[in-house]
RNA sequence: UGGGGUGUCGUCAAGCGGUAAGACACGGGCCUUUGGAGUCCGCAUUCGGAGGUUCGAAUCCUCCCACCCCAGCCA
């Protein structure tokens, strides 16, 4: 392994640029551009491109990056988007200085270039309709055929083109086409359209134009006019590069270099404008800036910082292979950033009341709490403590499982920055729900340290009941339940991937008093709970709402999950987790109850047939061999995870064999297949190895 | 069956003929008044596959396989 002596490793684009610099290709200039079409909001995928383009420019002496709106299609674009895009780029921390450009500013110049091409016999006016053009373009494997108008004379073309500009023809009547090669293996080269007639006013040029340039024609010209050295775009434009080059070469003008990289895909979300717009329009989210959206405005409202997003874009790298970045990396980046800067506060999200019996009735103590252990300069604050406090419901268990360090009857824990308390009594309501706890405190442990050196395992956050600010807190989770929702084969399936629990609203949260004065946009760490930002849209004076940005890493949750998993497989197996919670209605498992798990009869089954069930979008019908001579029919609500049931055939599964057969609308279901949810994905329990149908599983 | 791309750890990603960086995730230890943070350790005998060239191949050659993109008067 050679030591990387020269600088640090760079991506392939930076290598190309370094090489160009070395050969003095552009006289030492580096100029890039970020060219959004103003027809939607920017998302994290755009952030990757923004960071790339602006950072590359910044890395070189004299390098600059332009912000250019590619506004060549007046029917799709709106001013609202221009403003949001400018705001987002700025917020991300990048500066285009005085280089804010619009493709529409070059329309006249482009027009002149078009006449130049016509005069050179390299472009012609075609009278064919859109349909005719499509039909004569050929297919991927067959060449196209030439337009009957292809060989018009230069004068006629010029005249027609000028009349197109003058408004002499209705929409669609004519187009200007480049005269290249109708049998070119690259479809983009089969006489591509350069101009179309659109009698639509443009948000910047008004009614000055009724012909508008197409992307392929316009983009290279924009780059050339601005003197861009490296025109960086995404992979799907790779096929367009020959055309980009063709136009520029034919014109004999300055010729930037187009370089393509793979766009960002993020797990558990979608990135296409169309899909994002769909989520907004169909009301799955409240808007483009909904905190669940991967848009820059959504992330901002969620509590993400520009620094975290930039670090993320840096960490994911730049390459040409299609990839899917784990959203856990994004979460890591925001945690890392916020850990250093977010002030800590105490907030009880799901309150459980505690009365400290031996604490003086009317005493209120102001205790010191550290604002940020990572940053001594952040100082300390006072937190009021009194006889009645709230702790998190989840921080008490009447019957604590193994490794549970928190409060339980008879247990002593520390209240952060306050006292050790011991649980002496539990008050429940009629339904058996724990309503209130009684505890005693040890006055000697004020501040949280025991003079006798005794230790407690758990430290809980708390809020004094009398001083608490009651507030709404919104808990956000991923928008989709599957890693790659875009892989859905149709709309219905796509919709079924949407996470119904992506937003949970908590109305009765108890916050420490200092949080009452939070300004919109301020970010805090609620100790032990996560990072939260004061919402900047729905907050009202005196009534601040908080959005959860991301949870803290939760070791206990992991342990508990592992325990449950262990129970599932060891103890009485079952617990029949099959899809039930995840798929909503679970026609199979719902009514089946087994009091004693030891009675469950688990058997090896081999799936012999599997298919979809007509009229049930969650079910799959399988025929399972349990070695009984006949196959058993089982309906399992696992379609979400197995879109192609055929692939289940031959798999060994665990079947609960001694259930009472259940009559369903679609037929008799004679058993149940074990399935579980891991990492958010539903899957059936399966295994390799030589086992025979009907073998007992233990 | 045309053209253009891409295949290195679960996920990103270095590597450019000298014997597989790093990050996230995951597992484990230490530490801890956040089961947070921090810290330490582990985690690809192998680079889509098969041949070949070479003292030496993820890197070069040949063939094969898989995946992505392209038939808007969208960008």
């Amino acid at each position: 392994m050679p030591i990387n002596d020269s600088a640090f490793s760079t991506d392939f684009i930076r290598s190309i640029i370094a090489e160009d610099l070395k050969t003095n290709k552009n006289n030492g200039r580096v100029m890039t551009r970020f060219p959004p079409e103003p027809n939607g909001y920017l998302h994290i995928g755009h952030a990757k491109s923004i960071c790339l383009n602006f950072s590359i420019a910044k890395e070189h002496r004299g390098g600059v990056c332009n912000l250019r709106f590619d506004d060549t299609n007046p029917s799709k674009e709106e001013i609202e988007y221009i403003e949001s895009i400018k705001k987002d780029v700025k917020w991300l921390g990048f500066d285009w200085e005085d280089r804010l450009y619009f493709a529409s500013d070059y329309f006249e110049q482009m027009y002149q270039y078009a006449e130049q091409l016509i005069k050179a016999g390299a472009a012609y006016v075609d009278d064919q309709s859109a349909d005719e053009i499509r039909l004569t373009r050929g297919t991927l494997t067959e060449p196209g055929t030439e337009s009957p108008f292809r060989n018009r004379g230069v004068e006629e073309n010029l005249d027609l083109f000028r009349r197109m500009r003058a408004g002499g023809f209705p929409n669609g009547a004519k187009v200007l086409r480049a005269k290249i090669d109708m049998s070119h293996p690259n479809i983009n080269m089969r006489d591509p359209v350069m101009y179309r007639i659109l009698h639509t006013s443009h948000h910047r040029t008004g009614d000055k134009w009724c012909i508008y340039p197409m992307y392929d024609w316009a983009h290279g010209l924009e780059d050339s006019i601005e003197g861009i050295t490296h025109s960086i775009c995404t992979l799907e434009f790779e096929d367009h590069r020959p055309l980009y080059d063709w136009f520029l070469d034919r014109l004999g003008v300055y010729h930037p270099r187009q370089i393509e990289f793979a766009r960002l895909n993020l797990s558990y979300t979608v990135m296409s404008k169309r899909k994002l717009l769909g989520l907004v329009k169909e009301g799955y989210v409240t808007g483009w800036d909904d905190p669940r959206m991967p848009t820059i405005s959504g992330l901002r409202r969620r509590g993400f910082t520009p620094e975290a997003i930039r670090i993320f874009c840096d960490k994911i790298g730049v390459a040409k292979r299609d990839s899917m970045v784990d959203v856990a990396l994004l979460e890591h980046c925001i945690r890392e950033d916020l850990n250093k800067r977010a002030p800590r506060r105490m907030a009880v999200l799901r309150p459980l009341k505690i009365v400290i019996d031996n604490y003086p009735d009317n005493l209120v103590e102001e205790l010191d709490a550290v604002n940020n252990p990572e940053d001594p300069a952040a100082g300390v604050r006072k937190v009021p403590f009194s006889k009645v406090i709230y702790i998190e419901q989840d921080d008490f268990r009447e019957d604590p499982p193994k490794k549970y360090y928190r409060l339980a009857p008879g247990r002593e824990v520390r209240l952060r920055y306050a006292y050790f308390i011991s649980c002496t009594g539990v008050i429940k309501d009629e339904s058996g729900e724990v309503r209130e706890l009684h505890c005693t405190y040890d006055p000697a442990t004020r501040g949280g340290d025991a003079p006798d050196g005794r230790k407690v395992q758990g430290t809980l956050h708390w809020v004094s009941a009398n001083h608490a600010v009651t507030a709404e807190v919104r808990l956000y989770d991923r928008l989709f339940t599957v890693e790659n929702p875009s892989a859905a084969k149709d709309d219905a399936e796509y919709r079924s991937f949407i996470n119904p629990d992506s937003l949970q609203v908590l109305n009765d949260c108890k916050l420490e008093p200092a949080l009452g004065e939070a300004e919109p946009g301020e970010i805090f760490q609620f100790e032990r709970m996560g990072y939260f930002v004061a919402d900047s849209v729905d907050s009202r004076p005196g009534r601040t709402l908080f959005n959860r940005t991301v949870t803290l890493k939760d070791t206990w949750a992991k342990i508990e999950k592992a325990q449950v998993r262990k129970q599932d497989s060891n103890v009485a197996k079952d617990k029949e987790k099959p899809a039930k919670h995840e798929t909503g209605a679970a026609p199979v498992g719902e009514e089946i109850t087994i009091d004693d798990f030891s009675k469950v009869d688990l058997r090896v089954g081999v799936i012999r047939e599997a298919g979809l069930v007509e009229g049930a979008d969650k079910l799959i019908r399988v025929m399972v061999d349990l070695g009984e001579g006949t196959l058993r029919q089982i309906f399992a609500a696992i379609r979400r995870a197995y879109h192609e049931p055929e692939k289940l055939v031959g798999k060994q599964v665990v079947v609960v064999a001694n259930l009472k057969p259940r009559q369903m609308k679609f037929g008799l279901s004679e058993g149940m297949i074990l399935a579980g949810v891991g990492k958010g994905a539903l899957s059936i329990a399966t295994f390799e190895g030589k086992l025979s149908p009907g073998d007992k599983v233990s």
Side-chain angles (χ1 to χ4, degrees):
Chain A
M1 188 86 271
I3 304 300
N4 242 339
D5 47 11
S6 65
F8 33 88
S9 63
T10 53
D11 57 77
F12 77 101
I13 295 178
R14 281 177 242 250
S15 303
I16 290 172
I17 293 174
E19 186 60 29
D20 286 348
L21 244 23
K22 204 155 60 177
T23 60
N24 205 235
K25 195 172 165 196
N26 299 295
N27 299 315
R29 281 192 319 118
V30 174
M31 185 186 275
T32 55
R33 102 264 95 113
F34 174 62
E37 183 190 12
N39 72 341
Y41 283 72
L42 259 27
H43 53 63
I44 184 86
H46 291 112
K48 177 180 181 182
S49 174
I50 293 167
C51 290
L52 223 206
N53 279 293
F54 280 93
S55 301
I56 281 176
K58 212 182 295 181
E59 286 161 18
H60 297 96
R61 203 166 1 97
V64 290
C65 178
N66 300 347
L67 174 60
R68 178 173 74 225
F69 287 97
D70 208 356
D71 54 352
T72 56
N73 187 345
S75 47
K76 292 181 136 186
E77 298 150 5
E78 293 171 32
I79 290 178
E80 173 199 354
Y81 294 124
I82 293 180
E83 292 314 311
S84 81
I85 289 170
K86 280 155 71 173
K87 176 178 176 184
D88 288 348
V89 173
K90 222 175 262 176
W91 179 77
L92 277 172
F94 298 104
D95 187 3
W96 55 88
E97 299 172 313
D98 57 349
R99 296 176 313 283
L100 172 63
Y101 300 127
F102 291 85
S104 52
D105 288 344
Y106 311 139
F107 281 174
E108 182 60 39
Q109 172 77 268
M110 290 176 187
Y111 176 84
Q112 295 304 330
Y113 279 140
E115 285 208 353
Q116 185 185 327
L117 239 42
I118 292 172
K119 288 172 188 160
Y124 64 96
V125 172
D126 193 347
D127 296 359
Q128 291 184 112
S129 69
D131 281 345
E132 287 168 321
I133 288 178
R134 177 164 43 77
L135 260 21
T136 53
R137 188 156 20 231
T139 68
L140 295 178
T141 52
E142 299 154 340
T145 53
E146 298 187 349
S147 165
F149 305 97
R150 194 170 197 266
N151 294 311
R152 287 217 249 236
V154 169
E155 286 314 315
E156 187 186 359
N157 277 323
L158 223 38
D159 173 57
L160 255 17
F161 186 48
R162 286 174 182 162
R163 280 158 60 195
M164 277 169 67
R165 172 181 183 164
F169 307 107
N171 286 356
K174 291 181 169 29
V175 291
L176 182 72
R177 290 230 256 173
K179 194 170 178 178
I180 307 181
D181 179 0
M182 285 308 290
S183 55
H184 197 108
N186 179 343
I187 290 191
N188 295 127
M189 300 297 272
R190 317 238 262 232
D191 290 11
V193 173
M194 294 163 63
Y195 276 96
R196 73 283 216 188
I197 299 171
L198 246 32
H199 289 272
T200 304
S201 7
H202 185 277
H203 58 94
R204 297 199 90 236
T205 60
D207 294 320
K208 185 174 177 200
W209 295 90
C210 63
I211 56 171
Y212 291 93
M214 298 287 292
Y215 170 86
D216 286 311
W217 166 242
H219 205 86
L221 297 181
E222 297 158 21
D223 288 340
S224 178
I225 290 167
E226 291 175 17
I228 300 300
T229 57
H230 301 273
S231 179
I232 302 166
C233 61
T234 43
L235 247 31
E236 67 271 26
F237 292 104
E238 214 152 15
D239 289 340
H240 297 242
R241 195 174 62 229
L243 184 52
Y244 181 100
D245 292 337
W246 191 89
F247 281 132
L248 263 15
D249 287 343
R250 277 305 166 111
L251 256 13
V253 297
Y254 171 71
H255 192 154
R257 172 168 182 181
Q258 176 181 304
I259 306 171
E260 311 84 12
F261 71 97
R263 62 165 2 121
L264 169 67
N265 293 300
L266 239 203
S267 59
Y268 298 100
T269 190
V270 292
M271 216 69 97
S272 84
K273 277 180 197 166
R274 208 194 105 249
K275 290 202 176 78
L276 258 13
L277 183 69
L279 291 170
V280 173
K281 288 217 159 136
E282 289 168 43
Y284 289 106
V285 296
T286 58
W288 285 96
D289 67 346
D290 185 290
R292 289 164 289 186
M293 293 283 271
T295 50
I296 304 298
S297 50
L299 290 167
R300 178 167 54 228
R301 196 173 158 198
R302 176 80 172 255
F304 276 74
T305 59
E307 290 79 4
I309 293 173
R310 277 189 258 125
I311 290 170
F312 171 74
C313 289
D314 192 53
K315 284 190 197 238
I316 57 177
V318 181
K320 294 193 74 161
R321 62 184 87 108
D322 291 314
S323 60
M324 169 79 71
V325 175
D326 192 338
V327 71
L329 181 60
L330 217 209
E331 290 171 353
H332 164 79
C333 291
I334 188 60
R335 282 194 192 105
E336 193 179 45
D337 186 40
L338 259 20
N339 176 49
K340 288 179 295 195
R341 54 208 285 189
R344 316 284 129 127
R345 296 288 183 267
M346 291 200 282
V348 174
L349 269 25
R350 296 175 178 87
L352 171 60
K353 188 170 158 190
I354 292 188
V355 177
I356 302 168
D357 293 322
N358 61 340
Y359 194 84
D361 282 350
N362 296 312
L363 180 60
V364 176
E365 290 184 270
E366 296 285 332
L367 302 169
D368 286 323
V370 174
N371 281 329
N372 185 350
E374 304 295 315
D375 176 17
V380 296
R381 68 186 186 284
K382 297 287 186 188
V383 188
F385 184 83
S386 63
K387 189 182 180 76
V388 182
I389 61 167
Y390 293 112
I391 65 163
E392 211 66 57
Q393 283 169 21
D394 202 38
D395 284 340
F396 172 80
R397 294 285 173 88
E398 203 175 2
D399 185 17
K402 255 201 169 84
K403 289 191 186 164
Y404 183 85
Y405 296 163
R406 286 112 94 146
L407 197 60
R411 281 251 191 111
E412 183 174 52
V413 297
R414 169 169 41 235
L415 294 178
R416 183 144 227 233
Y417 301 128
Y419 294 98
F420 285 11
I421 55 167
S422 300
C423 178
T424 53
V426 181
I427 297 176
K428 300 192 213 175
D429 60 19
E430 322 73 52
S431 62
E433 204 79 10
V434 176
R435 279 286 110 105
E436 182 180 319
L437 261 28
H438 277 74
C439 293
T440 57
Y441 84 117
D442 177 357
T445 57
R446 188 176 203 269
D449 277 310
D452 63 2
R454 79 178 185 277
K455 302 280 182 205
V456 286
Q457 291 209 97
T459 299
L460 313 185
H461 60 98
W462 53 274
V463 170
S464 167
N466 275 149
H467 307 84
V469 174
T470 300
E472 176 179 323
V473 173
R474 321 224 262 216
L475 270 22
Y476 294 102
D477 200 353
R478 32 193 71 154
L479 249 182
F480 291 88
T481 56
V482 298
E483 239 178 70
N484 185 13
S486 296
K489 60 178 189 305
D490 54 43
D491 266 21
E493 187 175 88
Y494 170 71
R495 259 170 258 268
S496 76
F497 290 157
I498 294 178
N499 179 8
D501 302 317
S502 61
L503 168 61
Q504 195 177 352
V505 178
L506 266 24
N507 282 305
D508 189 33
C509 304
K510 304 295 184 183
L511 318 181
E512 69 166 84
L515 251 10
E517 296 144 28
E519 295 294 325
E522 257 192 288
I523 305 175
F524 302 92
Q525 183 195 99
F526 289 180
E527 296 220 19
R528 304 207 302 136
M529 303 307 287
Y531 296 97
F532 294 75
V533 61
D535 188 78
S536 44
V537 173
D538 294 335
S539 290
R540 296 287 171 269
R543 200 182 75 95
T544 305
L545 305 180
F546 287 88
N547 298 327
R548 184 174 70 194
T549 308
V550 65
T551 60
L552 253 28
K553 282 211 275 185
D554 191 344
T555 309
W556 164 245
K558 219 178 262 182
I559 294 170
E560 195 177 29
K561 222 182 200 170
Q563 286 179 350
V564 171
R565 229 180 300 141
K566 206 168 164 191
Q567 254 177 31
D568 277 2
S569 52
N570 283 350
V571 192
K573 297 317 165 181
D574 194 295
K575 194 121 198 152
E576 112 281 320
K577 268 195 125 172
K580 189 161 166 185
H581 314 294
E582 297 301 306
T583 51
V588 181
E590 217 161 44
E591 298 184 5
I592 298 170
T593 56
I594 292 184
D595 304 331
D596 182 352
F597 279 152
S598 65
K599 289 181 189 160
V600 175
D601 185 18
L602 295 170
R603 303 248 172 206
V604 174
V606 176
I607 296 181
R608 300 297 187 200
E609 293 172 34
L612 300 179
V613 179
E614 274 282 317
D617 56 7
K618 286 171 180 145
L619 293 186
I620 282 180
R621 171 181 173 275
V622 292
M623 296 301 287
V624 184
D625 184 355
L626 286 172
E628 300 165 312
T630 61
L631 300 183
R632 287 209 199 185
Q633 170 172 273
I634 298 177
F635 290 93
I638 56 173
R639 182 151 160 196
R640 197 191 88 212
Y642 299 95
H643 318 304
E644 299 171 87
E646 315 78 70
K647 293 193 174 163
L648 288 169
V649 174
K651 287 224 190 274
Q652 294 191 117
V653 295
V654 181
V655 175
V656 184
N658 61 336
L659 291 174
K660 187 175 157 209
R662 176 158 178 237
Q663 187 59 50
M664 300 181 60
K665 196 168 125 197
F666 316 95
L668 204 59
S669 190
E670 310 163 279
M672 189 157 67
I673 292 177
L674 278 196
V677 178
K679 255 198 156 179
L682 168 72
S683 68
I684 54 172
T686 176
F687 44 87
E688 314 286 326
K690 286 192 200 106
L691 289 163
S692 306
D695 280 357
K696 195 151 174 66
V697 180
S698 58

